[in-house]
Amino acid sequence: MKAFALRRPGEPPALVERPVPRPGPGEVLVRTTAALICAWDGHSAAAAPSGLGHEAVGVVEAVGGGVCPSYVGRRVGVEGHGRLAEYFRAPAAGAGLVPLPGTVSDHQALYAAGALPTGFAAAEEAAPAPGGSIAIFGQGTVGLSATVAAGRLLGARVIAVEPEMKRQRLALRFGADVVVDPAYEDTAERLLELTGGAGADCAIVATPSPGAARAARAGTAEGAKVTYARCRPPRGRGERLARALHLIGDGLVEPTVMTTHEFPFHRVGEAFTRLGTREPGMIKPIILFPRPAGPQQQTETGDPR
């Protein structure tokens, strides 16, 4: 099989040939149908020599000892490193692997397995009061997910801070009440103006932009909490993932509009490079894996997009 991984320390990741893994006791073998990559993969490349990628969906192909054979053929969403490969192993039990309902496509489920729960966790950590104001700096996939959670789940007034027009429009679509453009406005001053001089009640920084943290502190109320969005620990992950799946299945959020580019798996290196250079207009690329020939296709349901 092919996997996208580091060949040697200090070299960029690339497609490599590896044997198809065998599931151990309590594990399943998943055939990947689609995956997302994000900027975090670039930051974590050196720390994940076994493989890159942490948001994937696929079909269970085989099970290890102690796992019910009925798992075979199930569509699943999976979190964890090493998912940019044609096959990978995953624990059968735990929050990292979730059966997918028929109401959610593979493409939608990718966001429930990564960006949406991460954004939800950031919003819950910031803990805006219903009707209170929250400034969310950066409207990439995590920032947009925090916007959904803060506005639609927690009932806060969301002020999105984002310079790129495509992301500004998505922020408004995802529930932001107003958008501040830091390329043309003094962000801290604008936040004070929008909050009657008091400053935002709390803030989330979901961008590496060096000025975002300073503006967040200057544009929030005295003693306000500033939360930094990041990959979250497993605690609460399953609950947030299930909530994301429900929101998608009920039609309350359509995350696939965050996908701006599509690549077949053999071009994953190109996608990784273009995302890493912050190509204008690129928010989230989806990686589509080849379908197997023959009767294996009959085990899969749902649209890989």
Side-chain angles (χ1 to χ4, degrees), residues 126 133 198-203 216-217 219-227:
S133 58
D201 297 324
C202 55
R217 290 191 293 269
T220 52
E222 185 176 354
K225 187 171 187 177
V226 176
T227 298

Side-chain angles (χ1 to χ4, degrees), residues 137 205 207-217 228 278:
F137 290 75
V205 177
T207 172
S209 174
R214 292 193 299 271
R217 290 191 293 269
Y228 294 85
R278 301 184 183 278

Side-chain angles (χ1 to χ4, degrees), residues 86-266:
E86 291 178 310
Y87 294 87
F88 59 86
R89 297 181 305 172
L97 184 143
V98 177
L100 300 179
T103 55
V104 175
S105 72
D106 285 10
H107 190 180
Q108 292 172 321
L110 286 169
Y111 287 93
L116 285 172
T118 302
F120 290 179
E124 289 164 358
E125 184 177 335
S133 58
I134 180 170
I136 302 179
F137 290 75
Q139 293 294 298
T141 53
V142 171
L144 287 167
S145 299
T147 292
V148 169
R152 296 184 181 175
L153 300 182
L154 302 178
R157 180 189 180 215
V158 178
I159 304 169
V161 181
E162 172 59 52
E164 188 175 303
M165 184 175 294
K166 182 180 291 185
R167 299 184 185 208
Q168 292 174 356
R169 291 173 176 170
L170 283 176
L172 293 170
R173 180 170 178 173
F174 274 48
D177 294 279
V178 64
V179 174
V180 174
D181 188 337
Y184 296 96
E185 303 174 273
D186 184 296
T187 303
E189 287 185 5
R190 182 65 173 137
L191 288 174
L192 292 172
E193 178 185 337
L194 289 168
T195 56
D201 297 324
C202 55
I204 295 172
V205 177
T207 172
S209 174
R214 292 193 299 271
R217 290 191 293 269
T220 52
E222 185 176 354
K225 187 171 187 177
V226 176
T227 298
Y228 294 85
R230 58 189 183 277
C231 287
R232 301 282 153 175
R235 184 174 59 83
R237 178 190 296 165
E239 179 185 347
R240 287 188 290 264
L241 195 155
R243 191 188 320 165
L245 288 173
H246 282 301
L247 284 171
I248 295 168
D250 291 343
L252 297 176
V253 60
E254 176 45 76
T256 61
V257 297
M258 293 188 277
T259 300
T260 54
H261 294 69
E262 178 182 302
F263 295 87
F265 183 49
H266 69 268

